[in-house]
Amino acid sequence: MSIEGTFRTKAEGAYKAVLEEIRPLSLYMRVLPLPRVSVPSQIRKDLREEFEAGKRADFIYWLATHREQEMKAAFGLHDVQISSIRNNRYISGFHLPLKLNMCSVDHIIPLSVGGGNDVSNLSLIPEWINHLKARFEDAQLRTCPDRTHINILVPTRDEHGNYVSIPCFPDQFYTPRSKVMRKHAEWISRNLDLMTWQG
């Protein structure tokens, strides 16, 4: 019997499955309940386009400029690699550690519930956790479309009460979960010695 068969609906089964994936994150992320707001689709689209057109790159530049030591500590980067990230405003490339290549920029408070593109609402997290956040939100809406609150996953806060921009996860949390990403990661690993930038 499939997992969906043990619950009343397929949506409910999917929600339970997402909760199981979230369980290991409990030491590193928190569940934050927020009032559900209706953000018009055009506003979400505009914010997404703004993010893709430059806000993501601006955040990466900001990390390499204002969070250089955290970047070095979290990913074992050298000065040359930090400089490359700062200049290119892009986190990708075979000269960077595989762990960093498996990250993506996340909206802490999703655009769909009123979040924006400002630096304080962005963080660098493993890509599969970014996707999991979206699945968690979607699963809640599928099980209860009329809910007035929605729970989201957020990183911890620093001593000033701000969300940290580079949450700390154990190394295994950077392991790609999807088959395609695993194959991509394995290919990079096999060829890493040939492609590593000796900075």
Side-chain angles (χ1 to χ4, degrees), residues 3 13-14 16 19 25-26 35 37 39 50-51 65 80 95 102 109 117 119 140 149 151-152 160 189:
I3 188 168
K16 298 287 186 180
L19 290 182
L25 297 174
S26 60
V37 295
V39 180
E50 178 186 60
F51 176 70
T65 304
V80 175
H95 65 283
M102 294 297 107
I109 308 300
N117 288 325
V119 166
Q140 291 174 76
H149 283 71
N151 297 312
I152 60 168
H160 306 295
S189 296

Side-chain angles (χ1 to χ4, degrees), residues 66-140:
H66 295 91
R67 295 290 182 268
E68 180 177 343
Q69 294 310 312
E70 289 96 320
M71 291 280 284
K72 287 180 176 179
F75 303 106
L77 300 177
H78 302 292
D79 289 336
V80 175
Q81 292 168 317
I82 290 285
S83 178
S84 172
I85 292 169
R86 190 182 297 125
N87 293 336
N88 296 324
R89 298 177 177 237
Y90 189 63
I91 292 180
S92 185
F94 301 133
H95 65 283
L96 297 177
L98 183 60
K99 180 177 171 182
L100 183 55
N101 274 311
M102 294 297 107
C103 286
S104 65
V105 178
D106 169 57
H107 288 87
I108 296 170
I109 308 300
L111 300 179
S112 58
V113 291
N117 288 325
D118 48 302
V119 166
S120 62
N121 191 45
L122 299 174
S123 68
L124 191 65
I125 64 174
E127 189 169 15
W128 73 269
I129 298 177
N130 195 346
H131 293 309
L132 180 61
K133 285 185 59 170
R135 286 176 50 218
F136 183 39
E137 182 183 342
D138 183 61
Q140 291 174 76

Side-chain angles (χ1 to χ4, degrees), residues 28-73:
Y28 313 99
M29 299 191 87
R30 299 287 178 263
V31 174
L32 175 70
L34 289 176
R36 187 177 170 196
V37 295
S38 180
V39 180
S41 59
Q42 186 59 49
I43 291 178
R44 292 200 310 269
K45 182 182 176 190
D46 291 346
L47 285 168
R48 176 58 62 184
E49 287 175 355
E50 178 186 60
F51 176 70
E52 299 293 346
K55 291 295 183 178
R56 184 206 316 260
D58 291 346
F59 175 67
I60 291 168
Y61 174 82
W62 180 86
L63 283 178
T65 304
H66 295 91
R67 295 290 182 268
E68 180 177 343
Q69 294 310 312
E70 289 96 320
M71 291 280 284
K72 287 180 176 179

